[in-house]
Amino acid sequence: MERNSLPISAWEEAERVDKVLRAVDTRLDGKQAAAWSRKRHRRILNVVMKHAIRRRVLRTNPLPKGKESTTVAKTSNAVDKRSLMNADQAAALLDWVRRRPRGGRRLHAFFATLYYCGLRPEEAVAMRVEDVTIPGPDARDQWCELLIHTATPEVGKQWTDSGEIHEERDLKGRAEGETRTAPGHPALTRILRQHIEDEQLEPGDLLFQGETGGILAGSVIRRAWRSARKAVLPPHVFESPTGKRVYDNRHTRLTKWLNDGIPPAQVAEWAGNSVPVLLATYARCVDGQLPDLKKRLEAAGDLPELPDAG
């Protein structure tokens, strides 16, 4: 490393700094990295520079500052409206998964939970049977409730201390140990009740398991979803962003809640987002409310008519 490393004085040369920035903005295949990746790489590089200044290895931060540093990687959190599924598409996809010969019913319950409750995939795979409150078959209110308290994202064996593919973490954007609940439609109640019965699950068991009883693998989830899209959607829709990612089940549900008039504060609570993040992400997807808004504006009336001056 010492033999192949430039001296620290190289950071004082503007041309070399530009070369480093071009490198962190470029993928190994020579193409430009995604905007979020470029922003993240530059942020990390800035942290390194600040550390070097604190250790008195560098006198000043040689990286661009202000507008010059931010214009290179403009990013947006907004969801692409084209990625949202309509009710017919979602129903067809879930039905195809349910009919899948290998593990179809198990995966159907998983995808239905994402669609009806807007969970993140890493939250759903971490759920236990005891985290679901299911009313009795004869109860008048057939809405179930999900308690979300853990996430197990798939990060890879080389990045976990345990050597496992998944790593158990607290909920995204929440304080340590914090939980949240989300309501489950009566249709989901029926699906989960049958799922628990068919799989003979106990309260402490994972709600959604792989074939060997362990955590449901992300590769299995993604493969099943892609197969469903290819089998159900017309070719031009399959090639489009519609439901392209498993995560689009969550986007579709949160957008539907907002379009159905659920207050943003409530949707944010169910989804595990802050209200500002929720609105910035889904504002472009909210529609269907214009006729009602026009009626409200008309009801407010026009300016009063003033008498003629003469």
Side-chain angles (χ1 to χ4, degrees):
M1 287 178 64
E2 188 174 344
R3 208 170 42 244
N4 288 282
S5 298
L6 293 170
I8 202 69
S9 59
W11 285 108
E12 298 177 2
E13 302 176 27
E15 290 184 4
R16 289 193 184 275
V17 173
D18 291 341
K19 189 175 181 180
V20 170
L21 293 177
R22 282 196 298 272
V24 300
D25 289 347
T26 308
R27 303 189 316 194
L28 291 176
D29 61 6
K31 296 180 180 178
Q32 189 179 56
W36 273 112
S37 295
R38 304 202 306 274
K39 181 174 282 189
R40 184 175 65 251
H41 294 162
R42 290 186 176 227
R43 193 175 295 151
I44 294 170
L45 201 53
N46 256 306
V47 172
V48 174
M49 294 298 107
K50 290 177 182 178
H51 177 71
I53 293 169
R54 283 198 303 270
R55 298 295 298 270
R56 298 183 179 178
V57 178
L58 285 175
R59 290 175 296 177
T60 59
N61 189 337
L63 300 179
K65 300 175 182 63
K67 291 184 178 180
E68 187 181 355
S69 65
T70 57
T71 53
V72 293
K74 290 186 177 179
T75 57
S76 172
N77 287 328
V79 168
D80 185 348
K81 195 173 181 179
R82 298 173 299 167
S83 68
L84 305 178
M85 299 171 285
N86 61 41
D88 290 338
Q89 291 167 337
L93 289 166
L94 289 176
D95 185 64
W96 188 94
V97 171
R98 183 177 61 84
R99 297 172 186 274
R100 190 172 182 256
R102 188 172 177 179
R105 290 187 177 275
R106 188 184 305 117
L107 285 165
H108 172 255
F110 172 79
F111 288 123
T113 301
L114 300 188
Y115 177 78
Y116 281 111
C117 294
L119 268 61
R120 299 178 178 94
E122 63 267 25
E123 295 170 343
V125 297
M127 290 190 65
R128 303 274 173 178
V129 176
E130 62 193 4
D131 298 328
V132 185
T133 302
I134 297 180
D138 299 326
R140 291 187 62 184
D141 185 353
Q142 283 296 306
W143 284 77
C144 63
E145 184 177 77
L146 276 61
L147 174 67
I148 305 105
H149 56 82
T150 309
T152 53
E154 194 176 55
V155 295
K157 294 181 179 179
Q158 68 272 36
W159 305 113
T160 58
D161 294 334
S162 62
E164 299 292 329
I165 295 176
H166 297 82
E167 182 176 67
E168 188 170 307
R169 299 177 182 174
D170 289 303
L171 298 182
K172 183 178 179 181
R174 297 267 171 149
E176 185 177 350
E178 194 172 346
T179 67
R180 76 174 196 274
T181 58
H185 192 277
L188 180 64
T189 300
R190 293 191 296 272
I191 293 169
L192 291 181
R193 185 187 289 126
Q194 190 65 49
H195 168 70
I196 293 170
E197 182 181 328
D198 291 344
E199 298 291 318
Q200 298 181 346
L201 299 175
E202 298 296 328
D205 293 340
L206 285 169
L207 183 59
F208 307 113
Q209 302 178 359
E211 291 186 346
T212 59
I215 195 166
L216 187 58
S219 57
V220 173
I221 295 168
R222 291 187 293 271
R223 187 164 56 246
W225 188 250
R226 188 179 189 282
S227 297
R229 290 185 73 251
K230 192 168 186 178
V232 168
L233 302 178
H236 70 283
V237 180
F238 174 75
E239 296 297 333
S240 76
T242 303
K244 195 164 190 175
R245 301 185 307 158
V246 174
Y247 209 95
D248 291 329
N249 283 282
R250 171 178 166 85
H251 290 326
T252 299
R253 173 51 49 187
L254 268 57
T255 300
K256 187 170 186 344
W257 278 337
L258 291 170
N259 282 330
D260 287 345
I262 307 296
Q266 182 62 75
V267 175
E269 174 61 27
W270 289 341
N273 283 340
S274 67
V275 174
V277 168
L278 179 82
L279 296 177
T281 305
Y282 297 100
R284 297 179 185 175
C285 302
V286 177
D287 58 18
Q289 300 178 13
L290 186 57
D292 182 57
L293 293 175
K294 285 180 178 178
K295 289 179 182 177
R296 293 187 191 182
L297 293 172
E298 287 178 3
D302 203 346
L303 290 174
E305 293 187 11
L306 299 178
D308 293 336

